[in-house]
Amino acid sequence: MEVLQFVYIGCLIITTIKAIVLGWKYRFPAQNYLGIYLIGTLSLELFGIIKTYLKQFDFAVYFNIYAIFCILFFGIYFSRIYIGNFKRIGLFVAVLVLSYCLIFIDILSTKFLPQLGILVALFYIFNSILWFYQKLHIPVEGKITDDPNFWISTALLFWSTYIIFRFTPMYLFEKEDQFFLSLLRKIGAVVNFIMYALFYYSLVKYETIAKNIKK
């Protein structure tokens, strides 16, 4: 495992443990079930590392299924924080994207499908922007940075912007420029680290809210 990947996995482990502890202490609904996503992500990452170590590269199908899980999870996640027309729009787009994936994409393919990664990224971008639009147009008290969803949306937007660039030419670089592909993987590890560091900070905000409610 490369150093940057090790650092990223370490950040994911710490963030997942934080979510589990908070889920145990305040129940998972208090963090909008974010711990469920983190547990699923960490499990798949560790599974992929073990399979790679054993030189068994037949696990791409699991990442295809994981992409569907991500769309489903964050479709539900955002639907719980949207209100009014925002909720209806969010649910409609989630159902539309899931239906497209299940009907037109072979998610059980033994090869990882970049179009799935791009769809996930576009789905994240849409929901992040829609959440920001809702936040800015509905009067609320307090700073926007005190809202855990600010950090989640920022993390997803940041990750998605990179992933669209990463996945679009992936197989071209695999054939034509191994050095650049290796560089993209290193950048990807940094991007993943930043994303889950922001997730950790969102959990800190969730914890603050849970403590205030408990008082």
Side-chain angles (χ1 to χ4, degrees):
M1 188 190 303
E2 296 181 354
V3 174
L4 288 175
Q5 186 183 14
F6 179 81
V7 172
Y8 148 58
I9 294 297
C11 180
L12 177 55
I13 290 172
I14 292 171
T15 304
T16 304
I17 292 173
K18 176 73 171 179
I20 292 172
V21 171
L22 290 182
W24 180 269
K25 190 173 182 180
Y26 299 109
R27 302 178 67 86
F28 282 99
Q31 55 180 264
N32 204 359
Y33 298 97
L34 187 61
I36 304 300
Y37 165 79
L38 291 169
I39 292 170
T41 300
L42 178 59
S43 299
L44 185 62
E45 288 285 2
L46 294 178
F47 175 74
I49 290 171
I50 293 171
K51 294 284 280 186
T52 301
Y53 178 78
L54 296 174
K55 300 188 183 304
Q56 299 174 359
F57 304 103
D58 57 345
F59 53 88
V61 61
Y62 298 107
F63 282 88
N64 292 335
I65 295 172
Y66 172 73
I68 301 300
F69 164 74
C70 289
I71 295 172
L72 181 61
F73 177 85
F74 280 105
I76 296 172
Y77 180 96
F78 280 103
S79 72
R80 288 170 55 86
I81 57 178
Y82 288 145
I83 60 176
N85 287 331
F86 294 100
K87 182 184 291 288
R88 284 187 281 272
I89 293 172
L91 286 172
F92 173 77
V93 171
V95 171
L96 189 65
V97 173
L98 279 172
S99 298
Y100 178 85
C101 291
L102 296 174
I103 295 172
F104 297 105
I105 297 179
D106 181 16
I107 62 174
L108 297 180
S109 171
T110 56
K111 187 177 182 180
F112 178 73
L113 305 173
Q115 59 265 43
L116 264 177
I118 294 172
L119 275 173
V120 171
L122 291 174
F123 183 71
Y124 285 175
I125 290 172
F126 170 81
N127 278 286
S128 298
I129 292 175
L130 186 63
W131 180 83
F132 277 111
Y133 186 82
Q134 172 183 272
K135 192 71 174 178
L136 294 174
H137 282 74
I138 297 177
V140 292
E141 296 181 0
K143 297 185 297 184
I144 190 173
T145 52
D146 289 334
D147 190 331
N149 298 304
F150 169 82
W151 301 102
I152 296 295
S153 297
T154 300
L156 295 179
L157 195 59
F158 174 73
W159 179 86
S160 300
T161 303
Y162 166 76
I163 285 300
I164 288 178
F165 172 73
R166 168 69 174 83
F167 280 164
T168 302
M170 184 172 68
Y171 290 112
L172 174 63
F173 290 141
E174 186 176 17
K175 296 177 181 178
E176 303 294 338
D177 196 335
Q178 285 292 324
F179 173 78
F180 190 54
L181 182 62
S182 176
L183 178 62
L184 285 177
R185 286 172 177 161
K186 289 181 172 64
I187 295 173
V190 174
V191 169
N192 286 334
F193 172 83
I194 294 173
M195 179 176 73
Y196 286 109
L198 292 175
F199 273 34
Y200 183 92
Y201 196 64
S202 76
L203 288 168
V204 172
K205 294 298 182 180
Y206 272 124
E207 184 177 21
T208 301
I209 294 171
K211 286 180 178 178
N212 291 335
I213 292 175
K214 197 173 181 179
K215 288 181 180 179

